[in-house]
Amino acid sequence: MRLSELKPGESAIIVKILGHGAFRKRVIEMGFVKGRKITSLMSAPLKDPVKYTLMGYEVSLRLSEANLVEIIPLADADKIDDISHLNVIDETDEFSKEYSGLRHTINVVLLGNPNCGKTSLFNIAAGTHEHVGNYSGVTVDAKKGKFEYGDYKFNIVDLPGTYSLSAYSPEELYVRRYLKEQIPDIIINVVDGSNLERNLYLTTELIDMDRSMVIALNMYDELNKSGTTLDYEMLGNMIGVPIVPTISTSGKGIEQLFEKVIEVYEGRNTTVRHIHVSLGSDIEQSVKVLKDEIKKDHQIEQQFSPRYLAIKLLEKDSEVDSLLRVSNEYNHLISLRDRELKRIELLRGEDVTSLIANQKYGFIAGALAETKTENENDVTRKTQMIDALVTNRLFGFPLFLLIMFVIFWATFEVGSYPMQWIESGVSYLASWVDNIMTPGPLKDLIKDGVIGGVGGVIVFLPNILILYFFISFMEDSGYMARAAFIMDKLMHRIGLHGKSFIPLVMGFGCNVPAIIATRSIESRSSRLITILINPFMSCSARLPIYVLLVSTFFREYAAIVFFAMYFLGIAIAVVTAKMLRRFHFKADETPFVMELPPYRLPSLNMSLSHTWGKGQQYLKKMGGIILFASIIVWALNYFPMHNEMAEHNVTRIEDEATINPQSDSYLEMMGKAINPVMEPLGFHWRASVAALAGLPAKEIVVSTMGVLYTDYSVDEVDNEANLSARITAPSPITGEPDFNHASALSFMVFILLYCPCIASITAIVKESESWKYGAFAVIYNTAVAWLAAFVVYQIASLF
C-alpha cells in the first residue's frame, strides 16, 4: 500500500521509500525511515498536497511524492502489543523483531534483451512455467511471481525483452512506464554471456537511471564453452554493479544471485557505486546544463535521475518530453535543449543520438577489453555452418516445408497409438457406466453427455502434446528465428515483414497468445494485418477435428491432408493480407530487424515442461468449458422427451429435412433451421450444429459430435463403437452416412477458416483497440469459410 492511499485520521507504518536520488535522500533525512509511525491529518482543499504527522511534527507531501512511500496500515500490525515506542527504532527492540517479517519484502524486476534467458530464470525462481522461446518477442507482457528465500519474500516480475529504453517499440515503452510507475527495489539486469557487447548497452541506460541493480551473467556455460574468459568481478567493480554468473536452464547461480540482491537491498554490497558513462566532453557539457535545470524541479526527478532525463531530452525522446511537460520550466528546458543540440551538431557534424550510442559502445568495448579474453568461438562457427544450409537460397524454404511435413506426420502417426489406448479406456468406461446404472436421464447424461462429449475430445491429447513439443523445440533451438529470416522476402510481397512470421507460427499452437505476440511488431499497420490473418493459422483446437476425419476417411494420405489443411490456412492468410494492404492500409516500409541467436540444443526438461503446461491447459478445458458445453448440447439433444408413438408417425423424409416439434429435439430443430445455408457444403444438420457449437471454443466441435452420435447406431454399430465408426454408419432414415469423403473435406475446410473462437475475438478487439476489427474477423472469416468449403465440396464430389 502507498502513503497516498492513507485516508485522513488513519495511521500506518513506513516500510520503505521507493523514490529516487535527491527526493529519497531528502525524505529519509526528514524521518521517513522503516518502522516509523505516520498519520494522515488532512488534505488541501484541492486534495493535494496532504498533511501528515511524523515524529511529533507535521509535514506536507504532494500525492505524487506520497505515492513513493510504501506503508502497512497500523491495523495490520496487530501482533504488536504496545506501539507507543514505534518512534524509537532499534533493531533489537520487540517491534523490529515482530515487524521484520512484514517489512522484508523485496520487489524485483527482470530486465534484459530478448533471448537472454530472463523467462527461464523467472520460471526457476518463481516456480512457474511461462513460455520460453529462442527468438525475440516471446514475453509480451509482465509476468508476476512470488517466492520466499531466507528471511525475505520476493515479488518478481518478468518484463518484456528490450534492447534499450528508448520510446521506439511497444516493449520499450511498456518497460519504461513500468519502471516509472512501480519503482522496483532491485533491477536484475539479465545479460547473455555469449553476446556481452550488445547486451551491455541496456546496462549503460540503467546506469544512467541510477537504479539499484544486480547483473545476472546468464548462459555462463556457453561463455566458458567458447573458450572466452571474463573477469566478471573486475567488470562489476568497473561499472559499479555486482555481477553473478548464472545458467538459468539448470538453475546454477540462482541462489547466489538472490543472495547478492539481498546484499544490495540492505546496502551491504561494496561493489555498488554510481558511475557516469562518459559521453564525451561536448555532450557532457550539454547534459550538465540540462541536468542542473531539471534538478530545480523536485517533482520531475522522483522517478528517474536528472542525468537520465537530460540524456533522453537531448535524444528528443517523446516519453521524456511528455514527462517534463508538467514542469513550470518546460519551455525553458526545450529552448535550452534546442540550443545545446545546435551547438553539438555544429561542433561534431552528426546527430546526437548516434554520438551517444557510439560513446556508450565505446565505453562497453573499453570495459570488455580489460576484462575479457577472446578465443576462437566454436559456437559461432557451428552456427555459421548450420546457417549455410538452413538459410540457403535453394534449400532453406524446401527444408522448412519438409520439417513442417515431418511434424504433421509425427503428430498423426506417432500420436495414433496413445490415442487408441485412451479411446479404448473411454469406451470401457462408457460400457461400465451402461452396465451398472439403471436406465434414465442421469445415466444418459453421464454416459452420453459427459463421457461421450468430454471423452470424444480427450482422446486427442497425445496429438496436441506432440505438436506442441515440436513447436517448442524449434523455438528453443533458434530455428524459428531462421524461419522468419527465410520467410522475410515472401512476407514483404504480401505487405508484411519477417517479424510478422513468428506470431503466425505461434498461431499453430493457439491464436490468442499469437495475437498478443504481435505487440513486438513496431508498425501499427503490419501489426493489425498480422492480427487479422492470425485466426487462419490452424490452432491446436482444430487438431482433434482433423485427426477424427483424416483417420476415418484419408488414413492412407494422412500427412498430405494434414499439410494441405495447414497450407490452405496460410494461403488464405496471404491473400487476405495482400488485400488488406492494398485496399485498407497504406504501404509500410518498416525495416526487418530480428536477432538470429546462436543455435542451442534445447533442454529436454524445459521442452517437456512447456509441453506439459499446454497439456494442463487442455485438460483444464476438458473439466471446464468443454464439460459444460457437452452437458448443454446433451440436454438440447435429449429434450423435449417425445411420446414414442408420435415419433413413429413421422415420415422419414420429414424427419431428416423438416422441423417437426412432435419428434425433434431442441438441438435437431436448431440444426434443421440453419441447415439450408449449410447444405450446399454437404453438411447434415448434425454437422451444422457441431460447427455452431464451436463458436465458443473449437474443441467443442468434436465433443458435440460425440454427444450427437452417441445413440446414432444401426445393427453393425453399437453404442460403444468409436466416433469414427458412428459418423460413417448409414442413417436409418436415408440409408446414407452423414459424412463421406467430400463432406468430410468440406467440413474440415469450414472449421479451419470460419469465425474465430470467442477468446480470439476478444484478443483481436483488445489488441486492435477497436470492436470493428473483431466484427470484421467474424463476418469476413465466416464468408470466406463458406465459399472455400462450397468450392472444395463441389470439386471433391466430382471424384
Side-chain angles (χ1 to χ4, degrees):
M1 182 178 175
R2 302 294 171 88
L3 183 59
S4 57
E5 301 172 50
L6 198 65
K7 296 177 181 177
E10 294 180 345
S11 298
I13 304 295
I14 296 173
V15 177
K16 65 182 73 163
I17 309 301
L18 301 173
H20 179 275
F23 163 77
R24 191 170 190 274
K25 187 172 184 294
R26 179 165 57 89
V27 295
I28 288 175
E29 289 171 349
M30 292 169 63
F32 285 76
V33 293
K34 290 187 288 188
R36 295 291 184 192
K37 178 184 174 184
I38 186 168
T39 303
S40 175
L41 294 179
M42 61 179 291
S43 301
L46 297 178
K47 304 296 182 183
D48 196 13
V50 179
K51 187 161 67 173
Y52 302 93
T53 179
L54 173 75
M55 294 176 62
Y57 75 98
E58 295 179 354
V59 60
S60 174
L61 287 182
R62 295 190 188 99
L63 284 174
S64 58
E65 295 173 330
N67 194 50
L68 299 174
V69 180
E70 189 173 319
I71 60 169
I72 288 183
L74 203 59
D76 291 347
D78 55 4
K79 291 187 291 185
I80 306 167
D81 296 327
D82 179 14
I83 61 172
S84 61
H85 66 293
L86 291 185
N87 291 338
V88 182
I89 301 301
D90 183 341
E91 290 300 323
T92 63
D93 67 20
E94 284 303 310
F95 166 74
S96 295
K97 290 177 184 176
E98 295 181 37
Y99 198 63
S100 62
L102 295 174
R103 62 190 177 91
H104 285 179
T105 297
I106 305 179
N107 299 314
V108 174
V109 296
L110 300 178
L111 190 55
N113 285 191
N115 194 45
C116 68
K118 279 187 310 84
T119 306
S120 296
L121 195 154
F122 175 80
N123 288 343
I124 289 175
T128 59
H129 301 286
E130 291 300 336
H131 176 38
V132 181
N134 191 14
Y135 59 82
S136 65
V138 172
T139 307
V140 292
D141 207 343
K143 296 175 177 64
K144 301 177 182 179
K146 293 183 179 181
F147 67 97
E148 294 185 7
Y149 181 77
D151 296 329
Y152 292 84
K153 293 179 181 178
F154 284 87
N155 296 321
I156 185 168
V157 177
D158 177 23
L159 291 177
T162 177
Y163 293 106
S164 71
L165 294 175
S166 302
Y168 177 57
S169 71
E171 293 98 335
E172 291 167 349
L173 284 172
Y174 184 94
V175 168
R176 201 159 67 180
R177 287 172 183 171
Y178 185 94
L179 295 178
K180 171 180 172 287
E181 294 165 8
Q182 301 301 321
I183 313 179
D185 298 317
I186 305 289
I187 294 172
I188 296 180
N189 178 206
V190 185
V191 302
D192 178 357
S194 63
N195 202 335
L196 278 170
E197 190 168 6
R198 190 207 63 214
N199 277 246
L200 287 174
Y201 185 84
L202 177 61
T203 307
T204 63
E205 293 205 303
L206 293 172
I207 289 171
D208 290 337
M209 276 190 177
D210 191 17
R211 293 291 182 87
S212 295
M213 179 167 59
V214 175
I215 292 176
L217 181 61
N218 204 26
M219 303 180 189
Y220 191 63
D221 53 336
E222 293 188 13
L223 182 72
N224 290 332
K225 283 178 187 175
S226 69
T228 300
T229 58
L230 177 71
D231 188 342
Y232 59 85
E233 290 184 351
M234 180 179 177
L235 179 61
N237 287 324
M238 290 174 67
I239 64 176
V241 182
I243 299 175
V244 182
T246 59
I247 306 172
S248 59
T249 52
S250 66
K252 289 185 179 178
I254 304 299
E255 286 191 11
Q256 292 84 343
L257 174 66
F258 286 98
E259 288 282 359
K260 199 70 69 175
V261 167
I262 293 170
E263 284 182 18
V264 173
Y265 177 75
E266 295 288 1
R268 295 186 281 108
N269 190 276
T270 55
T271 302
V272 176
R273 64 190 177 94
H274 180 53
I275 68 163
H276 284 175
V277 177
S278 176
L279 303 178
S281 58
D282 296 327
I283 298 176
E284 286 292 346
Q285 181 181 332
S286 298
V287 170
K288 185 176 187 310
V289 169
L290 294 172
K291 181 179 72 174
D292 291 344
E293 196 64 34
I294 290 170
K295 277 184 174 180
K296 294 177 182 178
D297 191 334
H298 294 305
Q299 187 175 357
I300 61 175
E301 65 158 337
Q302 291 166 10
Q303 290 91 359
F304 297 121
S305 73
R307 177 178 174 82
Y308 174 79
L309 294 173
I311 293 170
K312 288 300 175 185
L313 191 61
L314 280 174
E315 293 179 334
K316 292 188 174 180
D317 186 286
S318 58
E319 278 286 296
V320 166
D321 185 84
S322 63
L323 179 67
L324 295 175
R325 284 181 187 273
V326 300
S327 173
N328 295 327
E329 300 299 319
Y330 172 74
N331 292 329
H332 179 53
L333 274 170
I334 295 302
S335 64
L336 274 180
R337 190 270 310 275
D338 293 342
R339 186 192 74 189
E340 293 301 317
L341 283 177
K342 189 180 243 184
R343 181 184 67 81
I344 293 170
E345 286 171 3
L346 281 173
L347 285 172
R348 306 292 292 271
E350 193 176 346
D351 71 280
V352 172
T353 303
S354 298
L355 289 170
I356 290 173
N358 288 335
Q359 287 293 134
K360 288 191 171 183
Y361 275 116
F363 170 84
I364 294 166
L368 292 178
E370 294 190 42
T371 57
K372 183 174 146 185
T373 305
E374 295 281 1
N375 198 356
E376 184 64 29
N377 195 328
D378 292 334
V379 174
T380 302
R381 193 164 59 244
K382 289 176 184 175
T383 295
Q384 290 171 348
M385 289 172 62
I386 299 171
D387 274 348
L389 175 64
V390 301
T391 63
N392 185 277
R393 288 177 61 189
L394 293 176
F395 305 117
F397 192 70
L399 182 62
F400 171 72
L401 294 178
L402 177 62
I403 289 171
M404 297 306 292
F405 181 84
V406 170
I407 290 173
F408 299 142
W409 175 86
T411 298
F412 181 79
E413 292 295 336
V414 178
S416 65
Y417 296 103
M419 175 185 162
Q420 289 171 8
W421 304 334
I422 298 173
E423 200 170 53
S424 299
V426 171
S427 296
Y428 174 80
L429 182 61
S431 178
W432 179 73
V433 169
D434 191 36
N435 291 331
I436 67 164
M437 293 190 70
T438 56
L442 180 59
K443 174 184 173 180
D444 293 339
L445 169 62
I446 295 173
K447 178 173 170 288
D448 300 339
V450 177
I451 299 175
V454 176
V457 182
I458 201 170
V459 296
F460 303 105
L461 177 62
N463 308 87
I464 287 172
L465 292 179
I466 291 169
L467 179 64
Y468 268 115
F469 177 81
F470 277 111
I471 292 177
S472 172
F473 189 89
M474 286 201 301
E475 290 170 351
D476 297 345
S477 68
Y479 177 73
M480 198 66 85
R482 269 71 184 183
F485 176 78
I486 294 164
M487 298 296 292
D488 182 47
K489 190 171 183 179
L490 178 61
M491 300 299 272
H492 270 296
R493 287 181 178 175
I494 66 173
L496 299 172
H497 53 77
K499 208 166 186 180
S500 298
F501 182 71
I502 297 298
L504 295 178
V505 174
M506 287 178 69
F508 290 146
C510 179
N511 295 141
V512 176
I515 290 168
I516 296 172
T518 59
R519 294 178 190 174
S520 63
I521 302 170
E522 291 85 359
S523 163
R524 175 166 171 80
S525 62
S526 290
R527 186 162 65 249
L528 287 172
I529 293 174
T530 309
I531 286 170
L532 292 174
I533 67 175
N534 205 290
F536 291 123
M537 300 299 105
S538 191
C539 68
S540 60
R542 298 173 172 100
L543 189 60
I545 305 158
Y546 301 157
V547 173
L548 171 66
L549 296 178
V550 169
S551 62
T552 304
F553 295 99
F554 309 101
R555 175 167 282 281
E556 293 181 7
Y557 310 101
I560 296 173
V561 175
F562 261 92
F563 187 81
M565 295 306 301
Y566 282 81
F567 185 80
L568 176 63
I570 294 168
I572 297 295
V574 167
V575 173
T576 302
K578 193 83 174 172
M579 291 169 60
L580 286 170
R581 178 61 75 188
R582 182 171 182 179
F583 298 112
H584 184 65
F585 296 102
K586 62 182 181 180
D588 177 48
E589 299 298 330
T590 304
F592 169 50
V593 181
M594 177 173 277
E595 175 193 1
L596 295 179
Y599 289 99
R600 299 185 176 102
L601 185 63
S603 160
L604 182 61
N605 286 340
M606 193 64 71
S607 294
L608 290 175
S609 174
H610 174 219
T611 302
W612 178 238
K614 295 299 180 183
Q616 285 180 311
Q617 291 178 15
Y618 190 72
L619 290 173
K620 284 178 182 176
K621 275 190 176 182
M622 298 299 104
I625 186 171
I626 292 175
L627 174 60
F628 178 75
S630 297
I631 293 171
I632 296 298
V633 169
W634 171 85
L636 291 172
N637 191 47
Y638 194 81
F639 298 104
M641 300 178 72
H642 298 292
N643 184 292
E644 195 173 321
M645 186 68 69
E647 291 182 14
H648 285 300
N649 291 334
V650 180
T651 65
R652 290 185 173 186
I653 300 299
E654 287 177 335
D655 193 49
E656 282 296 289
T658 308
I659 297 174
N660 193 314
Q662 294 182 337
S663 63
D664 293 349
S665 66
Y666 293 127
L667 199 62
E668 192 169 355
M669 287 185 259
M670 290 167 55
K672 290 178 179 178
I674 65 171
N675 208 50
V677 179
M678 311 303 288
E679 208 166 11
L681 313 183
F683 286 18
H684 184 272
W685 71 262
R686 292 181 182 84
S688 301
V689 167
L692 186 66
L695 294 178
K698 297 297 180 281
E699 295 95 339
I700 299 174
V701 172
V702 172
S703 67
T704 300
M705 293 173 71
V707 173
L708 290 174
Y709 287 95
T710 298
D711 58 353
Y712 189 79
S713 60
V714 290
D715 295 338
E716 64 272 20
V717 182
D718 60 34
N719 287 347
E720 281 69 48
N722 61 36
L723 189 52
S724 293
R726 282 183 264 132
I727 64 173
T728 54
S731 165
I733 307 299
T734 64
E736 297 290 333
D738 287 358
F739 284 94
N740 55 35
H741 287 75
S743 61
L745 210 53
S746 170
F747 189 75
M748 286 191 290
V749 169
F750 187 81
I751 296 298
L752 163 69
L753 301 174
Y754 83 128
C755 172
C757 68
I758 289 175
S760 295
I761 295 168
T762 304
I764 290 170
V765 172
K766 182 180 177 184
E767 296 303 316
S768 67
E769 298 177 341
S770 172
W771 63 267
K772 294 178 182 177
Y773 289 114
F776 172 82
V778 173
I779 298 167
Y780 174 78
N781 291 27
T782 304
V784 167
W786 192 96
L787 184 62
F790 175 79
V791 172
V792 166
Y793 179 68
Q794 298 304 321
I795 294 173
S797 296
L798 298 176
F799 300 96

